Amino acid sequence: MPILKSLGVADSKVPRAGTLPLRSSRNPFEEVSGLEEEEAAELGALPNGTSCRRRATLEKLAGLSPFRLGKTPGRRAGSPRDGQPRSFLGRVLSPGIRRSSADFGLLARLQGSRAQGDEEAAGEAARRLAFLRLGRGPKPRRASLAERVVPAGEAAPEPPPKVPEPPKVKEPLSVLEILSLIQQRELARADEHILELEAEELASSGGGAPGPPKAEGAGGGRRARDVALLYEALQREMWALVRETLAGPGLGAGSGAGAVAQLGQVLVQEEAADGRRGPEAARKLRARWAEAVARAARERLEAAAPGAPGGLAGQLEALRGRLLEDMGVVRGRLAPSYPAGLGAFGVYLRGYHGALAEWMGAAARRRLPLADRYALLHWHNQVYPREVLGLVDMVALENGELGPLLSPGTLRGLEDECVTDVKAQTRAALLRVLQEDGEHWGSTEDWSSNLAQDVCELLEEHTERAPRISQEFGERMAHCCLGGLAEFLQSFQQLVERFHENPGVRELPPDTYISRTISLVNCGPPLRALAERLARVGPPESEPAREAAASALDRVIRLCHRILTDLLFQELQPHFSKLMRRKWLSSSEALDGIVGTLGAKALALRRMQDEPYQALVAELHRRALVEYVRPLFRGRLRCGSARTRSRVAGRLREDAAQLERLFRRLESQASWLDAVVPRLAEVLRLEDTPSIQMEVGVLVRDYPDIRQKHVATLLDIRGLRHTAARQEILAVTRDLELCEVAALSPPRDRAFFADIPVPRPPICLSLPLFLGRLTLSRLACLPWPRPPAPSPLRRPQARR
């Protein structure tokens, strides 16, 4: 009865034992049942919606059980009102009052531990239920089915009208019950009750903008502290949920799509509440959610990188795999669970981007080896934009594109370090390779040079990787490598010159010496191609370095060609000395020796690469014709008669055709030399002056380096001296020499007559006539040979 008094039930309305009227004609259980209906009609319903009947249990009367703490709905504790019970049990059992965390703490202390409290509460509840059943009496008898049948002839009574049930009042939850919801990952419902509690705290404090509570020392109340603690617990669960959902599906309790959807609902609710709180009191859970995503992304990336093999390149590959894996989870499972207005995919992408930027910035600040710097720059500029960002939906970003992972200053610093290291490493490596290769040049063992291949591999390792990072970095690296190549080629040129100037090298077998020289020449084409390629890729200021590299290679190739040509023509010189003699007119022995020797030596020269081989064959072609024509201009032959001139011209044409066939077989490209000997033969064969003038004009036009002294020598050979025709022919040469075009000297590879010296014509004077025209005074002015100086006299020896 005290319990019912505390619930506000009048004592007179509750029948006591021994006061019920007993009648013999009626069943006592029916009388008790009727009394219950009367009492229920008088008492009505309790505030929690249940009818106040004696048959009701304590749990139905109060709306909750004080022995099931933290599990049944109730209201938080507030300031006690007038007429409400102020005892602890009254506060617990009274409906419409929110129980605070202090009430539940007191209940927990009274009951002891949670497990023992549950057992004791269950036993006590069972005893109380038994006591109520004893006081209520036996169960009333219900009407039988026969009694309920409507008698025949009577109309069935109309069913009573349905009375609409009163709406159930939403009961507030206690602090511990809200905390239990948070722990069960019912985040949206918990946040709703927290917002209600915050509103109650605002109402009790007298208005003002809700927001983060003040510290306890600053006068914060218990309700404000409860709100703050609940928000901390809510955020802990939210950020833990963010971490768990990134690890993969099915990991952790409540980490499914429903929990993620509740997290998104909390963010939407809190963002709406921030609009009511104002900018100063806003809790900004959406921004904190983005920070939690960034922290979770940082943890995921840091966990993936350290265990990857292969240095920094392996770590970057592990990061790429982790990024693709996590972004796939976000795009396929997490982002659709969030409300669309949050832009969840963009938040996760920015979080991972920021975490990756921090990781790469820390890596760039370390002292990395050259290979790791290359890997970092390539991953930043190529792999990440193409293989990571290229596979995600960039339209999902709300604020435009993502920023760079590394700042421009950091990237420039990494590139500068790469260029400096490459310059130092390649210079040392190139000199070491040159020194090792040069040690084998003077040896007699069979050896093949790989100098050009080694140099190209050393430089191409950097010149091929740098452009794949960025075009600007490729230009800088090409300029750096071209400068190193130019320095190397200058050292190479000096070493080749010292090799050929060394007298001990001449003691090598001729075949070995020629083989070494050909190997040096073969270094030219690949190194020249490398220099040209680097100059095309590099900036405009790379041109001086390219010219220096080309000049060094040209000197090496010219030197080696000159040495090979000299060696060959030393062997051919005995055959050339037999030319332009009378035996030469009737025998082809000299020319056959020349053609045979050149054809045999061409087999060894064919091991040379195409570009220098063509240059060498062209030089051999030019040199062979120069040596062939040289004896003719020395005046070994005199063609005084037309018959002799015809024989000499015919022999010249035959030899020219044979030499042309030889050098065509040797793949010579100097076809401009094929006409020189036939042109000279025509000048000797022709008899009429106009034809000779025309042929001399064509000869001067095709070979601009021919001079008047060469034409005069040809006229001397054919016996045309001191005549008007001679002067007319030489006038053609003088006119062409005075022309501006003829005054320009031809290039070195097109020079022919410039290498043919012409002896001075002898001065023929008629001595008697000359002396007759001179007077004695003029004769005195002529230089007379001086008498030889007398030999010094011996000093007489002193007499003894």
Side-chain angles (χ1 to χ4, degrees), residues 374 461-471 473-474 477-478:
Y374 271 134
E461 178 185 359
H462 307 288
T463 57
E464 291 179 358
R465 296 184 67 177
R468 290 198 294 264
I469 295 174
S470 67
Q471 181 180 359
F473 185 48
M477 188 59 67

Side-chain angles (χ1 to χ4, degrees), residues 357-570:
E358 293 180 7
W359 190 92
M360 295 188 70
R365 287 189 292 271
R366 299 196 301 266
R367 179 61 182 174
L368 298 174
L370 181 60
D372 288 350
R373 281 198 295 271
Y374 271 134
L376 188 63
L377 288 171
H378 180 258
W379 202 91
H380 176 275
N381 289 15
Q382 300 296 328
V383 176
Y384 183 67
R386 183 179 63 250
E387 300 185 14
V388 178
L389 296 183
L391 301 179
V392 301
D393 186 11
M394 297 300 293
V395 182
L397 296 178
E398 297 178 354
N399 299 327
E401 298 182 357
L402 298 171
L405 292 174
L406 297 176
S407 64
T410 303
L411 290 176
R412 184 72 177 187
L414 288 174
E415 292 177 359
D416 292 342
E417 293 176 1
C418 287
V419 170
T420 302
D421 288 355
V422 167
K423 187 174 183 179
Q425 292 181 11
T426 53
R427 179 181 299 174
L430 291 176
L431 293 179
R432 182 177 63 254
V433 169
L434 179 60
Q435 183 178 1
E436 294 175 355
D437 196 81
E439 294 175 355
H440 299 277
W441 294 354
S443 63
T444 57
E445 61 183 4
D446 188 11
W447 170 79
S448 178
S449 175
N450 296 322
L451 179 62
Q453 181 180 357
D454 296 340
V455 171
C456 291
E457 288 178 356
L458 284 172
L459 295 180
E460 287 175 353
E461 178 185 359
H462 307 288
T463 57
E464 291 179 358
R465 296 184 67 177
R468 290 198 294 264
I469 295 174
S470 67
Q471 181 180 359
E472 181 184 0
F473 185 48
E475 293 178 358
R476 296 183 61 195
M477 188 59 67
H479 180 63
C480 170
C481 292
L482 182 58
L485 179 62
E487 294 180 3
F488 164 78
L489 291 178
Q490 292 174 359
S491 302
F492 175 64
Q493 172 200 342
Q494 297 172 3
L495 189 61
V496 170
E497 292 174 351
R498 289 197 298 268
F499 168 71
H500 288 295
E501 292 173 358
N502 186 9
V505 175
R506 301 291 181 176
E507 299 177 1
L508 292 173
D511 294 341
T512 303
Y513 184 59
I514 292 175
S515 177
R516 295 289 186 270
T517 306
I518 292 175
S519 297
L520 296 177
V521 172
N522 286 338
C523 294
L527 295 178
R528 187 187 300 275
L530 178 60
E532 295 291 339
R533 185 167 63 253
L534 295 179
R536 288 194 301 269
V537 176
E541 52 266 22
S542 301
E543 187 62 22
R546 186 200 66 80
E547 294 177 355
S551 176
L553 285 175
D554 290 340
R555 293 177 183 176
V556 170
I557 292 176
R558 281 199 301 267
L559 174 61
C560 294
H561 281 177
R562 181 173 59 81
I563 290 173
L564 293 175
T565 304
D566 291 345
L567 290 176
L568 180 58
F569 279 91
Q570 284 179 6

